[in-house]
Each structure stands twice: as C-alpha cells, then as structure tokens.
Amino acid sequence: MGTARFAVLAILTVVFQASGSVTAEEQTCVPGFESHILIFKVARKHLNQHQRLGKVGFTDCTDRTRFPFRSDDGHFRVLTDGTIKVQRLVPLHRGHHNFSIDTWTSQGHKMTLPVKVVHDGNYHENHHQNDEHLHGDHEHHNHQHHLTEVDSAINTESATDPQVPILLFPKSSEGLRRRKRDWVIPDINVAENDRGPYPLKVSQIRSNEDKVKKIYYSITGPGADLDPVGLFTMDRDTGNLYLTQPLDREAQFKYTFQAHAVADGSGNAEEPMEIIVNVIDQNDNKPVFTQGTYLGEVAEASPINFEVIKVVATDQDQPNNANSDIRYRIVKQEPALPSDFLFLINPFNGVIRVNAGGLDREKYPKYSLTVQAADMEGEGLTGEAKVILTVTDSNDNAPAFTQSSYVATVAENKVDAQVVKISVTDGDEPHSPAWNAKFKIVDGDPGGLFSVKTGSNKHEGFISTAEGLDFEKSSKHTLLVAVENEVPFATPLPTATATVVVNVLDVNEAPVFDPVEKLISKREDLAVDSDVVQYTASDPDTARNQKVKYRIIRDPAGWLNVDKETGLIKVKSVMDRESSFVKDNKYTALIGAYDNDNVPATGTGTLMIQLEDVNDNAPTIEERMIRVCNKEWAPQLLSVTDKDGPGFAAPYSVSLQGMSKNNWTARMNDSKTGIILNLATELASGEYTVVLRVSDNQGLEQDSTVQATVCDCSGEMVHCQGREAGVTKLPVMLGILGGILLLLMLVLLLLLFARRRRGEKKEPLLQDDDIRDNIYYYDEEGGGEDDQDYDLSVLHRGLDNRPEVFRNDVVPNFMPAPQYRPRPANPEEIGNFIDDNLKAADSDPTAPPYDSLLVFDYEGGGSDAGSLSSLNSSSSGDQDYDCLNEWGPRFKKLADMYGGGEEDML
C-alpha cells in the first residue's frame, strides 16, 4: 500500500455468437472462461511481488469451484480459485504485458484465456471510444459486446480525484418497459482496513439521461439507509459512491443495496440498479493455536517417524486464500540434546514426529518445543505455542524370577486352593506397564488343572488349583511358568521362566457308587426279606486298602434294609406303589458307603425302585351319602375309584348285598366306571343302608355301604321337610354343648390359677435389695455342720405308722404300665416315635416324678422324733436383747420389740 497506490481495472470483453431467433434464456451451459480475453488496467509501470492482480472466472458446468490453472509466464501464478498473483517484479516497459492462462475441463479438454496487462496511460485514450462502442445501438450486428469498466480506487496518483469504476444504468431498447437480460452489472471490490482518507470514493453511477435531463442519484438498503446506516453515501448530483469508514471482512464480507436515478420534475429516469460491494480480504489476522501449551508423551524407544502429537492453528482471514494458508515449523528445542533435530513437524498439518534416535528418559525426561504457525504460506503473520513432551519409559528390561525353582504341596480334590506364590523383579519404571508382570503356565499342565494370577502389587504370581487333583492318578506335577510385561518388549529380550514342582498330598476319599444313581424295577408286593439289589461302591484310595461298608441314609417309608458288609439291599417291610412316598411309581432311597479310616469318609448313591403295580386295592365308592325321593325317583350316579393302575381297575362290576337287593337296583354305566343306583320300589321316608359289592377287572372285590336318605317327595329335586328340621336342630345342639364345655374348661383354668397364686412366696418385710447398711455375715456357728451326722430316717417312720396316708413319690406297683413304641430304624420316623412315646409317658402312673406333699407332722406314740417343745425359750431368767441394736438396720424392728429402751425405764 503506501502513498503510491496500485489500481487494477479488469475489463471483461465477451463476444457471443448466437442466432437471431435464439434468446439468452434458451442458451445452454457451455464449459469455458467467462470471457474471451481478460484485460487489466494498472496505474503503475511495474507490478510488485506478491501483488494480487485480479481473478479469472471459469466454469465446467458442474458444481466445482476450484480448477487447476497454469500460467505460461513465470512472473504470474494463478490459484485454484482463479486469483492471479504476481510472483516476481514485472516492469511494463512498453506499457503492456501479455500472457495466457490454461485450464482443463472435467472431460480433460484444455482451454486457454489471453490476458493483457495495460498501463493506465496507454489505455485511457481509448476509454471513450470503447464506451460508445459498448453502449451504442447494435441493431445491425448479429452479436453483442459487453464491456464493464472497473477503475480501481487503490493506489491512484491523485488523492483528490481518484479513478473509480463507473457504473451505467442498463440501457433499455424500449424505454423503461424492458431491460436487456444480458446486461451484467459488475461488483465493486473494496479492500478491508483501507486507511482512507474518508469519505473514500469507491465508485460512480451514471444515467444516459443525464445529457438531456437533470438527474439526482441515491442509494437504499443495508449500509445505506438500513443497518449499518450511513456506511455508504452517494452524492445526489454526481452519483459518486463514498465509503465513510474502514470495512472489516471478518464482520461482513459483502454489501448489497439499490441505486436510484430520478429525473428532475419527471420521476424515475432509470429502473433501480443493484450494487454489490465485495470486501477484499487483507492479511489482518495472525494464526492462533487452539491451545497455548500442548502436552504429550513419547516413548524413549520410539522409532523414527513415530507420530508424537499434532498441533492445530486457525486464521480468521478468508478461507482458501493465501492470507489464511498456514505453515508450521519448530523454532526452538530445549534441551538441544543429544541433537537439535530430535523432532520434526509437518508444515502442512502440524503433526510432530520423531526425527532421530537418542531419546533417553533417564538423561532427558522432558523436551520443550516452540512451534510457530505463519500465514501467507509461511511468509506472513505468525503465532506461537509451546509443546511439552514427556519421555516415557520403554520396556527394555525383562522381568526375572527371584527363584529359579519352587516346591509346594497341596491336598488332592481341593479346588481353587493356593499352591505357591512366585515373585519377580524388573529394572523398568515401577508400576508402569513396562514394569507390571504377567504370568503364564507354558508347560506341564495339559489338563488345565492349575491357574496363575498376578497379585495386586504386579510383581507376584499365585498358582492355584483350577480343578481337584487326584493323588491316585498323579502324585507330582512339574510346571514351567513364564513371565512377561503388560506391554511388549521394546527390543528383543529373553523371556524368564521358573520351575514349580507340586506334590499332591493323599487324603481319605469317600467311596464312589457305580452308578451314582441306580434304577431298578420290582413288584410292589415283593415279600419281606426278599433281595432287591446289590448296590456297591468302590474306594478310590487304592493304596490304603480300606474296607467299604454300607448303611441306609434316607429311606422315607422304612421299606429297605442293607447289609453293611455286602451292600445287598432287602425288603424290610412290604412296599406299596400307592403310598405317598412314591412319586411317578418310583421310590427313592439314599444309600451310604463309608470306609474304615480313622476319620471315615462317606459317599452316597441314589437307589430308585420302579414299583410294578399289582392288584392289591379293591375298588371303592366315593359317595357315601345320597338323598332320593320315594316317588318318581331319579337315578343316582356313584363314582368308583381304584388306587391300582389302569391294568387293575376299570371296567368295574357291581352287585347288591343283603336286604338291599329287595329295595334297590344297581348297574354299571356305559363306561363301566360309575354305578347307577335306583329304587326298586317305593319306600317310606327314612334312612336306609345300601350294601354294594364292587369288583375290578381282575375280580378283586370289596363291599361298600352307602347311607341313603329317602324323602317323601317326587322327581329329581329332593325335598325332605321333616329331616331338614332335624338337621337344622343338630348343629344348634352341638354348638350349645361346645359352649358349655368351653365354660367348664375356663372355670378349671381359673381354679388352677388361683391355686398356684396361693403357693406364691410372699414378699418379705425387709427387701433383699435394701442397701442401707453394710453386709453382715452370720454363717459362723461354731464347729460347722460337716462334722455332724444326722439320721434322717426318723422323718419317714411316721408314715409307716399311718398306712392311710398315700405317698406319690413311691412307684405304685398295683397299676399297669403302658406299652412304649420301640425306636424305629428309619430316621424320618423319629418325630412320630417321640410324639407317641410322649403321650404314653403322660398317661403312665409309674413314671417319675411323683409329686405330692410329704407328711412329717406325726409326733404321737412310738415316734423317734424329739418333741418340738424342746425348742422352748430358756426359763433361766430374762434374756438380754440389747445386742440386737448392734446387728444393723435389718434387726432394728426386733431390737425395738424385745430390747426395750428408754420407754421401759419410765
């Protein structure tokens, strides 16, 4: 920039070849440049390096906005967005400079655009001629030229009268009724942050009518009369467009408003014209890193080109522009040891990689890098950030066992039992992945009998049993255990191993039944003491040579017995398939086998007996009471059941017995599973007993009685008036009797309670918890009682002289004792055994205790007991009771009663 200002005028000359009958709306898209030739007018006779010359427009009829442009002149470079920049200083000695721009369509066709750079002094003399040529009447031409003059306000040589683009209102061929569709109003480009002076003239609008009329110009829209108001202003007489203050592209990159031309006294001279002002980006924002300080880690054994960290910087200038095109570089490394270039940064994406070897955590644990980001492809504004890299430990030391071999002992059959603890050492950084150990059994355990786990301190391993060991199969196991780290070795290192010898300790194992569950089939009527099956077990402790014995552990019904030596199971009591202990025709018992060790071990086997049904249950009738009318009686259906299986049940047969044959008829229903009972003759109302003999399909029969109530009624609805009244009174009477019994029981309970209340100990006059005085001892009575012999038999002799007094503490020998139930062999019957014997003991008159009052009040003739009169007080004078006052507060009452005192002396 500076005082000498650079101006660029892009004059686009477009020549279209079209048929007169085809309008612009009917033309299809044709790939190519927007013009056939591109002319730039500049105010200086030389172009400086890095100057922006202008922009070229191109389309390939797709959505692409960037294309590969190439300039045939090395002084110029064309970016992918069409921006033309000056690469090196270009002098315009002859007043102009020509070159061409090449590009390719999506189909690969090459297209070329001529470009001409003209000094303003050489081009200005042809300006009016071109203006008349462009805006004249072209009725006699079959094509039309479109020329847009852009006089840039940048770097003009006259500050008072800068050259700016002049925009003409589109000329209408039929006055104001129709505007030419192919007339294009070029945008106005204004650089942001222009230093002025302000107001700054940026353009001028003109109307062709200003030659014959007085025209007044104005603008409306955002930036004019709308927010931001007053940013652009227009001289109403000259049409000059002014900018009142600097623009900021980052705040708003484009302004669009309307220009108006009004004739003095005759209204609008032109239709409103849309003006677009583009804010040209300037490099006014430096790159900024997303973080002020980046923290990263790098392993000391990292190879070259190992990616460490990525830094990112952003630029608020226009995207896809040199102003925002960032390049990265490392400007400083601390410490610069062992070399200055340990790290390298990708200038395009900011990825930092290891560039050389020599990282050593023990010597240089941290590095600080100063990273710079510069726009303008690394030549513009810059921003910096810090990158702090911590060198981490690498796994360059293999863990080693503290012992090369271990010996341990573990009992057989134990699961998840700890066998041995092994430990290692490692020279890497403690508690890092390169230091933490992992153990693995690599040999000696093909069956997966052992497992190894790492302890919480990461340097100990615990070997345990994953399954129970078998001493009889193998008494010793030799394991090979290897150790590694949680992360692979950074360099090839040998893997440490240790040998673990596990000795299996023999323990007494329980005998094992074969099979564990045994299923047999037997008839349910198998005779007592008949053989059921021999169910045996073997002792896995073959080396001990122990003997196996057997016993019944669970036999719910008590039907079985087992020979403890041979395991032969026999019938103890008759089995019954219809018993409640039988489920799905199977009876299950648990048999135990134990060895003769000092601490016997017991194994169990399950015996399931499939009971075969026999015809041992006669059919029975379920309904035992019926009611029937004696007139027009209805048949009664009785259900027949049989506990036996289907082979010994239906079809049933029935016959009447005794007197029932005269009054009743009975037959089987069609399915032979029910009895149809009917009256044979009309009977008087009353109660009758019907005897029916029912037999199954094998002829097993049984008599069943049915209590029939005959009522004086007719039909199926049985109505017994007299009987209903009786039935009604019976429950009432039963309820009254029950109430009387309850009252009697309540009276008895009250009497018993009152009797017990009389026997309760009365509360003493002086409470035991009286602590108003010290504790006194009164148990010293001379020589003691242990050395004296007393004959207590005399206390019982009084009853010998009184035979009428009955003593309940002597077993009565004249009452019969009840029979007690013997102890059952089946443990499940213990409950019933205790209940039955408890009831027998409660009613046994010979069972102790014999609670009664013992009589010792006889002192008549012949009694060896001395008279109680010998206990009379001495008559040898008055007794001195003054000593009672010295015995404490408990004897104060006695002292007052017998000791006398001041009152007796009065």
Side-chain angles (χ1 to χ4, degrees):
M1 296 196 170
T3 56
R5 309 174 62 185
F6 178 72
V8 178
L9 174 63
I11 304 174
L12 303 178
T13 306
V14 182
V15 179
F16 294 95
Q17 300 294 335
S19 174
S21 59
V22 180
T23 63
E25 294 87 349
E26 296 171 345
Q27 295 179 359
T28 59
C29 178
V30 178
F33 290 97
E34 294 181 355
S35 62
H36 289 171
I37 185 172
L38 186 60
I39 302 175
F40 292 98
K41 186 179 69 170
V42 297
R44 291 184 177 182
K45 289 187 178 182
H46 63 272
L47 304 179
N48 293 326
Q49 186 180 7
H50 303 309
Q51 293 288 346
R52 182 179 181 273
L53 184 61
K55 193 171 183 181
V56 60
F58 180 80
T59 180
D60 64 349
C61 299
T62 64
D63 295 335
R64 293 174 59 192
T65 58
R66 292 180 175 272
F67 303 94
F69 295 105
R70 186 183 68 180
S71 172
D72 65 348
D73 190 337
H75 292 82
F76 300 93
R77 182 167 69 97
V78 185
L79 304 180
T80 56
D81 63 348
T83 302
I84 304 174
K85 299 185 67 175
V86 180
Q87 286 286 87
R88 299 193 302 272
L89 181 66
V90 180
L92 301 178
H93 300 298
R94 295 179 295 175
H96 63 86
H97 187 93
N98 299 331
F99 65 96
S100 62
I101 298 174
D102 299 328
T103 189
W104 291 262
T105 64
S106 57
Q107 289 78 19
H109 300 300
K110 179 180 179 181
M111 306 194 76
T112 303
L113 174 68
V115 181
K116 186 174 184 179
V117 181
V118 181
H119 180 254
D120 184 38
N122 296 336
Y123 186 78
H124 185 69
E125 59 188 10
N126 299 324
H127 172 71
H128 294 288
Q129 181 180 354
N130 291 338
D131 183 45
E132 294 174 0
H133 172 70
L134 290 172
H135 300 289
D137 193 357
H138 300 280
E139 295 178 358
H140 304 289
H141 297 277
N142 57 2
H143 63 276
Q144 182 174 348
H145 297 277
H146 303 280
L147 177 62
T148 301
E149 297 181 3
V150 180
D151 293 333
S152 176
I154 303 175
N155 294 332
T156 57
E157 297 179 1
S158 175
T160 58
D161 188 18
Q163 296 182 2
V164 296
I166 300 176
L167 305 181
L168 300 178
F169 281 91
K171 185 176 180 181
S172 300
S173 60
E174 298 180 5
L176 297 179
R177 290 177 295 175
R178 186 175 69 89
R179 176 186 300 181
K180 289 187 177 181
R181 299 181 181 270
D182 53 2
W183 193 277
V184 178
I185 306 300
D187 296 349
I188 301 174
N189 297 325
V190 180
E192 66 172 334
N193 304 322
D194 195 299
R195 297 183 179 180
Y198 291 92
L200 178 65
K201 182 179 178 182
V202 296
S203 182
Q204 180 182 11
I205 63 172
R206 287 179 52 193
S207 171
N208 291 329
E209 300 295 327
D210 61 355
K211 299 177 182 179
V212 296
K213 299 179 183 178
K214 176 60 177 175
I215 302 299
Y216 298 102
Y217 303 95
S218 63
I219 55 173
T220 60
D225 58 347
L226 299 178
D227 287 335
V229 178
L231 184 61
F232 293 93
T233 60
M234 179 166 283
D235 188 300
R236 67 189 301 268
D237 295 321
T238 63
N240 291 336
L241 179 64
Y242 294 97
L243 176 65
T244 61
Q245 62 186 34
L247 299 178
D248 186 0
R249 192 205 64 83
E250 287 70 37
Q252 187 168 342
F253 67 93
K254 183 172 69 173
Y255 296 88
T256 303
F257 43 84
Q258 301 289 326
H260 305 274
V262 179
D264 186 14
S266 61
N268 290 337
E270 303 284 357
E271 291 185 8
M273 179 175 58
E274 184 179 71
I275 297 178
I276 298 177
V277 178
N278 295 321
V279 182
I280 304 303
D281 184 43
Q282 299 294 317
N283 191 18
D284 57 345
N285 292 281
K286 69 178 182 178
V288 177
F289 283 92
T290 56
Q291 296 177 224
T293 301
Y294 291 84
L295 301 178
E297 293 182 349
V298 57
E300 59 180 341
S302 298
I304 296 176
N305 287 329
F306 176 77
E307 181 176 333
V308 180
I309 196 172
K310 181 179 181 180
V311 296
V312 177
T314 59
D315 196 312
Q316 294 185 0
D317 288 324
Q318 183 176 353
N320 304 317
N321 187 288
N323 295 335
S324 60
D325 195 353
I326 298 175
R327 297 292 184 269
Y328 302 91
R329 68 190 184 99
I330 298 175
V331 297
K332 189 177 182 181
Q333 170 190 310
E334 292 181 347
L337 297 172
S339 64
D340 287 340
F341 306 103
L342 283 177
F343 302 96
L344 179 69
I345 189 169
N346 187 308
F348 297 97
N349 56 26
V351 173
I352 298 177
R353 299 177 182 272
V354 176
N355 187 47
L359 291 173
D360 191 340
R361 182 187 64 87
E362 289 72 23
K363 292 182 179 180
Y364 312 108
K366 281 191 178 181
Y367 285 92
S368 178
L369 306 179
T370 302
V371 181
Q372 184 185 86
D375 57 19
M376 296 295 293
E377 301 178 353
E379 302 297 333
L381 303 178
T382 61
E384 291 186 352
K386 286 284 187 180
V387 178
I388 299 177
L389 299 179
T390 300
V391 182
T392 60
D393 185 37
S394 294
N395 193 9
D396 52 358
N397 293 281
F401 285 97
T402 57
Q403 296 178 225
S404 60
S405 63
Y406 298 83
V407 179
T409 301
V410 63
E412 63 175 334
N413 301 324
K414 287 189 176 182
V415 180
D416 200 25
Q418 181 174 324
V419 178
V420 67
K421 179 178 72 173
I422 55 181
S423 59
V424 297
T425 60
D426 197 308
D428 291 314
E429 182 180 0
H431 305 291
S432 67
W435 183 85
N436 297 338
K438 292 193 307 181
F439 299 90
K440 181 172 62 173
I441 299 174
V442 296
D443 192 20
D445 186 25
L449 300 177
F450 299 90
S451 65
V452 59
K453 296 180 180 178
T454 304
S456 59
N457 66 354
K458 300 299 184 179
H459 258 207
E460 291 179 343
F462 297 92
I463 298 178
S464 305
T465 56
E467 299 180 8
L469 306 180
D470 191 345
F471 174 83
E472 286 69 31
K473 290 184 179 180
S474 178
S475 62
K476 180 185 291 186
H477 298 269
T478 302
L479 309 177
L480 186 64
V481 183
V483 62
E484 296 176 345
N485 295 121
E486 292 181 352
V487 294
F489 295 141
T491 58
L493 297 172
T495 301
T497 58
T499 302
V500 179
V501 178
V502 181
N503 295 315
V504 183
L505 180 65
D506 187 24
V507 298
N508 186 27
E509 299 176 87
V512 179
F513 280 91
D514 185 22
V516 178
E517 292 185 356
K518 191 176 185 65
L519 176 64
I520 61 172
S521 180
K522 296 292 180 181
R523 288 171 57 91
E524 65 173 324
D525 61 347
L526 195 64
V528 175
D529 207 30
S530 298
D531 294 346
V532 178
V533 70
Q534 188 170 17
Y535 194 17
T536 60
S538 60
D539 192 346
D541 295 319
T542 56
R544 291 173 176 255
N545 195 21
Q546 298 178 140
K547 189 175 182 181
V548 179
K549 296 184 179 182
Y550 305 90
R551 64 186 178 92
I552 299 290
I553 294 181
R554 185 175 70 247
D555 181 15
W559 292 342
L560 304 176
N561 200 354
V562 64
D563 189 298
K564 67 177 183 178
E565 301 293 338
T566 64
L568 178 62
I569 299 174
K570 294 186 176 183
V571 178
K572 178 182 178 183
S573 59
V574 178
M575 297 181 290
D576 185 7
R577 188 190 68 87
E578 292 75 32
S579 171
S580 60
F581 298 105
V582 178
K583 305 297 181 184
D584 298 329
N585 298 332
K586 292 180 182 178
Y587 178 71
T588 303
L590 192 64
I591 312 300
Y594 57 95
D595 54 33
N596 60 350
D597 192 80
N598 293 331
V599 181
T602 302
T604 59
T606 302
L607 177 64
M608 293 182 290
I609 304 175
Q610 182 83 34
L611 294 176
E612 300 173 359
D613 189 25
V614 297
N615 194 14
D616 58 346
N617 291 281
T620 59
I621 298 174
E622 291 187 2
E623 295 85 356
R624 293 306 180 97
M625 297 183 65
I626 62 172
R627 295 200 305 169
V628 63
C629 292
N630 58 4
K631 302 180 184 65
E632 298 181 4
W633 51 81
Q636 303 294 315
L637 179 61
L638 306 178
S639 302
V640 181
T641 58
D642 195 323
K643 293 182 179 180
D644 291 323
F648 305 104
Y652 303 108
S653 60
V654 64
S655 63
L656 291 166
Q657 302 297 315
M659 297 300 295
S660 301
K661 297 179 181 180
N662 301 330
N663 300 327
W664 302 86
T665 62
R667 63 181 179 84
M668 299 303 299
N669 60 1
D670 294 339
S671 63
K672 303 298 182 180
T673 58
I675 300 174
I676 299 177
L677 182 63
N678 212 341
L679 282 172
T681 181
E682 182 176 342
L683 299 177
S685 60
E687 300 288 340
Y688 297 87
T689 301
V690 182
V691 181
L692 298 170
R693 179 169 295 173
V694 186
S695 61
D696 56 23
N697 57 9
Q698 298 295 321
L700 184 61
E701 59 186 17
Q702 177 177 280
D703 291 346
S704 299
T705 60
V706 176
Q707 193 69 27
T709 301
V710 179
C711 301
D712 189 10
C713 59
S714 61
E716 296 182 0
M717 301 298 295
V718 181
H719 184 65
C720 300
Q721 296 181 351
R723 297 298 302 172
E724 289 179 356
V727 171
T728 304
K729 294 179 181 179
L730 181 60
V732 175
M733 295 178 62
L734 292 176
I736 294 174
L737 291 176
I740 294 174
L741 289 175
L742 289 175
L743 289 176
L744 290 175
M745 292 178 64
L746 182 60
V747 171
L748 290 175
L749 291 174
L750 291 175
L751 290 176
L752 180 62
F753 179 73
R755 182 177 180 182
R756 289 187 177 182
R757 290 282 293 175
R758 294 193 201 101
E760 291 181 358
K761 184 178 179 180
K762 293 183 180 180
E763 184 178 357
L765 180 63
L766 296 177
Q767 300 295 329
D768 292 339
D769 58 352
D770 192 347
I771 56 173
R772 290 173 295 175
D773 204 345
N774 296 328
I775 298 176
Y776 292 87
Y777 297 91
Y778 304 104
D779 57 351
E780 297 179 1
E781 299 181 358
E785 300 179 357
D786 294 339
D787 57 349
Q788 299 183 16
D789 295 332
Y790 294 94
D791 185 8
L792 300 179
S793 63
V794 297
L795 298 178
H796 296 276
R797 295 176 183 174
L799 295 178
D800 297 337
N801 297 329
R802 298 182 61 183
E804 70 277 4
V805 179
F806 180 74
R807 288 177 57 190
N808 285 337
D809 62 342
V810 179
V811 178
N813 53 12
F814 54 86
M815 293 186 180
Q819 296 295 326
Y820 287 92
R821 178 180 173 182
R823 181 177 179 180
N826 183 8
E828 296 187 357
E829 290 294 317
I830 293 296
N832 296 332
F833 162 75
I834 294 175
D835 292 339
D836 295 343
N837 287 353
L838 180 61
K839 294 178 182 178
D842 290 341
S843 60
D844 187 359
T846 64
Y850 318 105
D851 298 331
S852 66
L853 178 65
L854 301 180
V855 181
F856 301 106
D857 58 351
Y858 178 73
E859 297 182 9
S863 175
D864 295 334
S867 175
L868 295 176
S869 62
S870 63
L871 300 177
N872 289 339
S873 300
S874 174
S875 58
S876 61
D878 294 336
Q879 179 71 29
D880 185 10
Y881 296 102
D882 293 339
C883 62
L884 295 176
N885 292 321
E886 302 176 358
W887 290 2
R890 294 181 180 272
F891 294 90
K892 186 176 184 303
K893 180 63 68 175
L894 290 175
D896 294 341
M897 294 174 59
Y898 298 99
E902 297 177 0
E903 296 179 358
D904 296 338
M905 299 174 62
L906 295 176

